[in-house]
Amino acid sequence: MSKVEVLIVEDEPEIAELIAFHLRREGFATRHVTSGRKALDAARENPPSVLVLDLMLPDLDGLEVCRRLKQREETRAIPIIMVTAKGEETDIVAGLELGGDDYITKPFSPRVLVARVRNVLRRHDGDAPIASEGRLVLADGALTIDTNRHVVLCHGQPIELTLTEFSLLHHLAQRPGFVRTRDQIIAAVHGRSTVLSSRTVDVHITALRRKLGDLSALVETVRGVGYRFAEAMPALDE
Ligand code: CA
């Protein structure tokens, strides 16, 4: 079986080397390019399994690279993990809305990066948290979302959600660990329930959390970016 290959797009050699070192140690093959244009060429000629994309690049910036890759049929499916500096929330939001799959913020731990790469690959392979048809079983079984019957069970007990709350929860829970921006949430929920604005998303999330009780921490706020369903069950009392 051929190795999973990660294309690293990074103009700072030390950071590129660090990323490559940790990925190779975990069994990934890596390629490295130093500019946005080279990234486009490399991805078109030989599409990698995952792209780790620095957003601040000398020629074409990372957002433009992301946009162009997602526009083209042959490169659209490549998962993209954006690498940003702290305080670039607007770039993160823009990148996610252009189709970027995930992001990490510099300085980052190599372990987190490797975990994110595995995560996008797992999702790419269609390994969504679906236990059986129409049922999402999450948080080690503490939360069940029954999409056919529109029922949510917390610790086996049904809770009463509005249609909007249900749609929000269902949308986030389909991709644990992945941030959704408010606009992405609005687009996904639109038409299924009421008309939403950024501010009303926050209001509905607050109401949803209250109803989730001790599972409320599963719906995480990502400051300046949006919301995320927790990847693993957050630590409750031991
Ligand atoms: Ca850079």
Side-chain angles (χ1 to χ4, degrees):
M1 206 175 84
S2 66
K3 277 189 177 178
V4 171
E5 191 198 53
V6 181
L7 177 61
I8 301 163
V9 187
E10 172 63 77
D11 56 321
E12 291 169 70
E14 304 81 38
I15 296 177
E17 261 167 48
L18 180 77
I19 294 173
F21 171 80
H22 285 279
L23 287 170
R24 283 200 300 266
R25 204 174 60 171
E26 296 292 323
F28 295 99
T30 62
R31 252 192 302 163
H32 172 219
V33 294
T34 53
S35 79
R37 293 200 185 281
K38 287 177 188 160
L40 290 177
D41 291 342
R44 283 172 193 159
E45 277 161 26
N46 193 358
S49 315
V50 181
L51 199 127
V52 173
L53 176 66
D54 185 27
L55 290 189
M56 296 280 275
L57 294 166
D59 51 359
L60 277 184
D61 71 31
L63 290 179
E64 189 54 31
V65 173
C66 188
R67 183 201 319 276
R68 294 195 192 182
L69 290 175
K70 293 297 175 183
Q71 270 171 356
R72 283 179 161 256
E73 193 67 45
E74 67 269 30
T75 53
R76 182 173 297 156
I78 303 168
I80 297 177
I81 300 175
M82 301 172 287
V83 181
T84 68
K86 266 213 159 47
E88 292 175 349
E89 280 91 356
T90 50
D91 284 350
I92 296 167
V93 169
L96 291 170
E97 285 168 3
L98 286 172
D101 291 79
D102 203 356
Y103 69 91
I104 50 171
T105 310
K106 289 178 186 174
F108 53 86
S109 114
R111 269 186 36 202
V112 170
L113 173 71
V114 171
R116 294 294 165 83
V117 169
R118 288 197 198 290
N119 217 10
V120 291
L121 287 168
R122 199 167 60 223
R123 188 177 68 80
H124 203 61
D125 289 344
D127 187 14
I130 295 167
S132 62
E133 208 179 315
R135 279 164 76 91
L136 240 51
V137 180
L138 302 134
D140 299 328
L143 184 75
T144 302
I145 302 173
D146 185 328
T147 51
N148 293 334
R149 295 189 301 143
H150 267 239
V151 171
V152 172
L153 303 175
C154 277
H155 305 293
Q157 297 299 314
I159 56 168
E160 294 254 343
L161 297 183
T162 65
L163 186 55
T164 303
E165 290 158 5
F166 181 89
S167 302
L168 286 171
L169 178 64
H170 181 234
H171 178 61
L172 293 172
Q174 282 173 310
R175 305 174 81 213
F178 287 89
V179 184
R180 309 300 286 164
T181 68
R182 287 179 177 78
D183 282 349
Q184 286 176 318
I185 292 171
I186 290 165
V189 172
H190 181 76
R192 284 205 275 162
S193 53
T194 173
V195 177
L196 290 178
S197 68
S198 296
R199 201 176 51 77
T200 52
V201 168
D202 298 346
V203 173
H204 288 292
I205 291 275
T206 303
L208 169 63
R209 283 203 183 111
R210 202 167 47 234
K211 293 180 182 178
L212 289 172
D214 70 343
L215 300 180
S216 64
L218 287 169
V219 179
E220 299 175 334
T221 301
V222 183
R223 269 181 92 84
V225 180
Y227 293 99
R228 166 176 65 203
F229 193 89
E231 207 161 344
M233 185 67 170
L236 300 171
D237 22 59
E238 296 291 289

